[in-house]
Amino acid sequence: MKKVNIGEELASLEEYWSQKIIGKANGQLFKVAKGIGEVNWHKHDDQDELFILYKGHLTIRLRTENIELFAGDMFVVPKGIEHSPVAEEDVEFLIVGLDITSTEAGGKPAWSRTPNG
Amino acid sequence: MKKVNIGEELASLEEYWSQKIIGKANGQLFKVAKGIGEVNWHKHDDQDELFILYKGHLTIRLRTENIELFAGDMFVVPKGIEHSPVAEEDVEFLIVGLDITSTEAGGKPAWSRTPNG
């Protein structure tokens, strides 16, 4: 059993909009990611997606409103709700859910995709 | 749908070793708590318990080793594993699991219990 440091894990990220699993509990994955620019509109029919901001300013656009997140803020995108995260400058965050959602179906922009997804 | 700020929620806590739910996702509760002193040895047979430290120094004593947590550290106590958190000074943390575990069965020390638990 080992601890991890969220700041160190965030600092180790090289790719934007790619999620790195740093912990698992009760079937949930705890993942760190960094982002810039826009994620395509998408939704997850099978899971809620929880964000905790660590650095920067992330706007989570919903069809009904924009949620403005800053360091220390937590927000849950309920399953089935369309959303599109946008960041004008670098943002770093923790994301919790059932699996890796930084995929094409998960809204990952084409410019950030590697050959593996 | 509303965001919450983890720092503000931590600052609002009045009782030690009492958990306040600030979010729910995929059946998991995201709770804030503060602590000082020792939590009694206990285990959770039905759930993993995940900690993220926000302030101070928390030692999670296990039967096999001590895990020393500081701000930004994350640690999962797997289900069924006996543990006893200890803090010499005030600590603040986020805890994730299936339900409120700050109960007598959850190791909550007698001095911190209110008439309701």
Side-chain angles (χ1 to χ4, degrees):
Chain A
M1 286 173 282
K2 290 191 67 174
K3 69 175 181 178
V4 295
N5 183 272
I6 295 172
E8 290 173 9
E9 295 293 342
L10 285 165
S12 77
L13 295 172
E14 296 184 355
E15 290 180 22
Y16 288 97
W17 304 119
S18 287
Q19 299 167 1
K20 178 184 178 186
I21 298 169
I22 63 167
K24 299 181 186 183
N26 302 315
Q28 305 292 304
L29 303 184
F30 290 72
K31 306 163 289 182
V32 287
K34 66 176 181 178
I36 194 166
E38 295 187 21
V39 173
N40 304 325
W41 282 94
H42 66 286
K43 61 190 172 80
H44 310 288
D45 286 327
D46 58 338
Q47 65 192 292
D48 304 322
E49 194 168 58
L50 182 141
F51 292 82
I52 297 176
L53 250 286
Y54 277 82
K55 177 184 163 189
H57 169 210
L58 181 67
T59 301
I60 298 188
R61 296 188 295 184
L62 307 173
R63 294 300 187 187
T64 52
E65 63 184 317
N66 288 345
I67 306 293
E68 307 293 348
L69 300 181
F70 299 90
D73 286 343
M74 185 174 94
F75 182 70
V76 181
V77 179
K79 60 182 167 188
I81 296 292
E82 284 188 297
H83 58 286
S84 164
V86 184
E88 293 196 357
E89 299 185 7
D90 275 30
V91 287
E92 297 180 348
F93 51 92
L94 182 72
I95 189 166
V96 183
L98 299 178
D99 54 30
I100 294 278
T101 50
S102 56
T103 60
E104 186 172 354
K108 188 175 168 71
W111 64 261
S112 71
R113 280 177 223 149
T114 62
N116 297 321
Chain B
M1 286 173 282
K2 288 191 66 174
K3 68 175 182 178
V4 295
N5 183 271
I6 294 171
E8 289 173 10
E9 295 293 343
L10 285 166
S12 77
L13 296 172
E14 296 184 354
E15 290 180 20
Y16 288 97
W17 305 118
S18 287
Q19 299 167 1
K20 178 184 178 185
I21 298 169
I22 62 167
K24 299 181 186 183
N26 302 313
Q28 305 292 304
L29 302 184
F30 289 73
K31 305 163 289 181
V32 287
K34 66 176 180 177
I36 194 166
E38 296 187 19
V39 173
N40 304 324
W41 283 94
H42 66 285
K43 62 190 171 79
H44 310 288
D45 286 327
D46 58 337
Q47 65 191 292
D48 305 322
E49 193 167 60
L50 182 141
F51 293 82
I52 297 176
L53 251 286
Y54 278 83
K55 177 185 163 188
H57 169 210
L58 180 68
T59 302
I60 298 187
R61 295 186 297 183
L62 307 174
R63 294 299 188 188
T64 52
E65 63 184 317
N66 287 345
I67 306 293
E68 308 292 349
L69 299 182
F70 300 89
D73 286 343
M74 186 175 91
F75 182 70
V76 180
V77 179
K79 61 182 165 187
I81 296 292
E82 284 189 297
H83 58 286
S84 164
V86 184
E88 294 196 357
E89 299 183 8
D90 275 30
V91 289
E92 297 180 348
F93 50 92
L94 182 73
I95 189 167
V96 184
L98 299 179
D99 54 32
I100 294 280
T101 50
S102 57
T103 60
E104 186 172 353
K108 188 175 169 69
W111 64 261
S112 70
R113 281 177 223 149
T114 62
N116 296 322

